[in-house]
Amino acid sequence: MSSSTASEKETTLETEAKAIDLLKTLVGFDTTSYKSNLELIEFIQSYLKNYGIQSTLVYDESGKKANLYATIGRTDIGGIMLSGHTDVVPVAGQDWNTNPFCLTESDDKLYGRGSADMKGFIASVLSRVPDMLSANISKPIHLAFSYDEEVGCVGVQRLLDLMEHQPIKPSCCIVGEPTSMKVVIGHKGKYARRVNVKGHTCHSGQSPFGVNAIDYAAELIVYIRQLAREKEKNGPFDKDYEVPYTTLHTGIVQGGTVLNIVPNFCQFDFEIRHLYEEDPQHLLDKIEAYTRHLETEMRSISADTGFDFETLATYPGLLTDPGIEFVSYVKQLLDNGAHSKVAFGTEGGLFQKRLGIPTLVCGPGNIDQAHKANEFISLEQLQIGGKFLDCLIQSLN
Ligand SMILES: [Zn+2]
């Protein structure tokens, strides 16, 4: 082994150790989506500042959460954006063997909430910041770290509002969600809606004089189920997905107090996960048309009854042409020519749809470990992810 290879190896080991150390710090901040992410964001901001990199924080209305955006290198050309979310899903009700907010190493795995989804990627990126600076990269690398991704890609929208007006936008984007470092070119879009059903109460013995909110909610839920069956039967289909068609599903129902009262309120949440090429509006239109049909009957009993819809979250699907140069370039860096589509959503569809930035998803860790008790990222995945970043930086020399 030549001495330069040995010293290169030593540097890599140092960087790996740094990535783990950073991951430990990031996991230590409890950034469950409903909590503030500011301590974590301010940590990253000051970390970058130590290397002379300025970052912009884009806050939410409350000022308790923020996105961070920073550019390393030139500002007069596009470059590559590395994107990740800083929030994590709750640990409540999960049976963890370790403290989820204290990164714990065991059997070559690093356990902690967010280790795979997706603080491992962020830690890896941050550990490479000194290399990005010393490599004198010819194209810039942009860092985009968001909040409130896990509640439906909500937080990043404010960052997009800002980026929309920038004269020069990143020319491509890698979302580092856990894909076991495989190239993902597509995912479905999502519409999550809450339905409030207002009925009219009375004694259950006089139920025909009331408007039973649960019954009408149930009729609509069954109708949604019927639409789901139609999609399963008639498509459209995209065979690249495990579930190759648009799905509809109701996840939560609440209503009623006691059995002998006709309930005057019922609330339920449903979602549509649609193929990129399918506009879900026609499904939403059908659902709303069906409620008008039900309302005619409801209002013949009591005028002040009916349905009311709230949008909980919505994000577009992602579909990147696998034939474009950016996809080939990333595949080449990974030395793996394969690509796929995944069942989970990311902010990637928004970058593509709102900013027109060619985007793919590729990051360390396995989605199977995300959102569960004892979430982990393997040391191997962290290393492979880090190596990819090293190749990416070198390629920008
Ligand atoms: Zn995620």
Side-chain angles (χ1 to χ4, degrees):
M1 189 185 288
S2 73
S3 62
S4 74
T5 314
S7 84
E8 264 171 34
K9 215 168 182 187
E10 205 170 288
T11 322
T12 311
L13 283 175
E14 261 172 46
T15 312
E16 289 308 330
K18 190 169 186 173
I20 295 171
D21 207 44
L22 281 160
L23 181 54
K24 195 172 189 169
T25 306
L26 298 180
V27 167
F29 296 113
D30 176 0
T31 52
T32 308
S33 306
Y34 66 85
K35 293 185 178 177
S36 169
N37 75 337
L38 283 191
E39 274 184 49
L40 178 147
I41 285 291
E42 282 160 8
F43 166 77
I44 297 178
Q45 187 178 37
S46 75
Y47 175 88
L48 294 173
K49 203 173 169 196
N50 282 339
Y51 291 104
I53 301 160
Q54 294 303 316
S55 41
T56 306
L57 302 193
V58 184
Y59 291 88
D60 75 343
E61 314 80 343
S62 73
K64 287 182 182 144
K65 295 176 186 177
N67 297 291
L68 179 145
Y69 189 74
T71 298
I72 299 157
R74 300 166 59 167
T75 52
D76 58 334
I77 52 168
I80 296 181
M81 177 160 67
L82 301 175
S83 141
H85 62 83
T86 64
D87 61 320
V88 294
V89 294
V91 296
Q94 296 185 337
D95 194 11
W96 282 74
N97 296 333
T98 58
N99 177 348
F101 299 106
C102 176
L103 192 74
T104 309
E105 186 177 340
S106 170
D107 295 332
D108 294 332
K109 296 180 183 102
L110 299 165
Y111 290 87
R113 172 53 85 228
S115 53
D117 185 13
M118 56 182 290
K119 290 176 174 175
F121 173 75
I122 297 176
S124 242
V125 169
L126 292 178
S127 72
R128 265 70 185 179
V129 165
D131 303 331
M132 294 174 195
L133 291 170
S134 62
N136 242 326
I137 46 180
S138 58
K139 286 180 192 162
I141 293 177
H142 311 274
L143 310 182
F145 300 142
S146 68
Y147 64 90
D148 276 357
E149 189 272 350
E150 295 288 7
V151 291
C153 302
V154 176
V156 76
Q157 301 269 10
R158 287 191 167 236
L159 177 60
L160 297 177
D161 293 341
L162 178 94
M163 291 177 75
E164 237 168 15
H165 301 293
Q166 283 177 346
I168 297 161
K169 296 177 184 62
S171 44
C172 50
C173 170
I174 298 171
V175 179
E177 289 276 0
T179 65
S180 304
M181 290 312 295
K182 298 202 171 89
V183 170
V184 165
I185 56 155
H187 62 70
K188 291 179 183 174
K190 176 173 152 177
Y191 261 79
R193 284 211 159 175
R194 173 159 294 166
V195 184
N196 297 306
V197 189
K198 197 174 174 208
H200 182 73
T201 191
C202 67
H203 190 289
S204 62
Q206 297 170 310
S207 60
F209 305 140
V211 176
N212 188 320
I214 294 178
D215 283 353
Y216 282 100
E219 286 200 61
L220 188 58
I221 290 168
V222 169
Y223 181 70
I224 290 168
R225 177 82 185 109
Q226 215 172 298
L227 292 175
R229 281 201 186 92
E230 274 170 32
K231 285 284 122 198
E232 186 175 352
K233 197 168 163 240
N234 304 323
F237 300 103
D238 181 344
K239 295 270 187 293
D240 289 348
Y241 287 103
E242 186 187 6
V243 178
Y245 45 85
T246 294
T247 57
L248 296 94
H249 133 108
T250 300
I252 306 173
V253 187
Q254 282 166 325
T257 49
V258 291
L259 187 57
N260 59 3
I261 294 178
V262 169
N264 65 354
F265 186 70
C266 183
Q267 184 181 73
F268 70 92
D269 296 353
F270 74 95
E271 64 168 32
I272 302 174
R273 289 185 183 254
H274 63 92
L275 295 181
Y276 176 85
E277 42 277 272
E278 186 170 12
D279 183 355
Q281 193 56 48
H282 76 284
L283 292 167
L284 295 168
D285 289 348
K286 277 185 173 181
I287 291 167
E288 288 194 24
Y290 194 75
T291 63
R292 283 195 290 278
H293 151 76
L294 293 173
E295 275 171 349
T296 311
E297 191 179 89
M298 293 163 88
R299 287 175 184 163
S300 71
I301 301 163
S302 174
D304 190 23
T305 56
F307 290 83
D308 165 57
F309 288 84
E310 270 173 64
T311 297
L312 297 175
T314 164
Y315 58 76
L318 172 72
L319 185 63
T320 299
D321 178 355
I324 64 171
E325 203 189 318
F326 171 53
V327 176
S328 317
Y329 160 70
V330 172
K331 283 177 175 178
Q332 210 173 350
L333 293 177
L334 288 164
D335 197 20
N336 182 351
H339 63 254
S340 64
K341 294 176 187 171
V342 290
F344 59 90
T346 76
E347 293 165 339
L350 285 164
F351 290 125
Q352 185 187 56
K353 190 177 178 185
R354 285 195 54 191
L355 303 182
I357 300 175
T359 298
L360 54 81
V361 187
C362 183
N366 191 323
I367 197 71
D368 290 348
Q369 273 100 49
H371 296 203
K372 289 182 186 157
N374 305 317
E375 175 180 349
F376 70 85
I377 187 165
S378 69
L379 285 171
E380 191 194 13
Q381 273 296 307
L382 204 60
Q383 277 161 12
I384 297 171
K387 199 177 148 219
F388 166 71
L389 291 171
D390 294 339
C391 294
L392 180 87
I393 295 164
Q394 272 174 27
S395 77
L396 297 176
N397 259 346

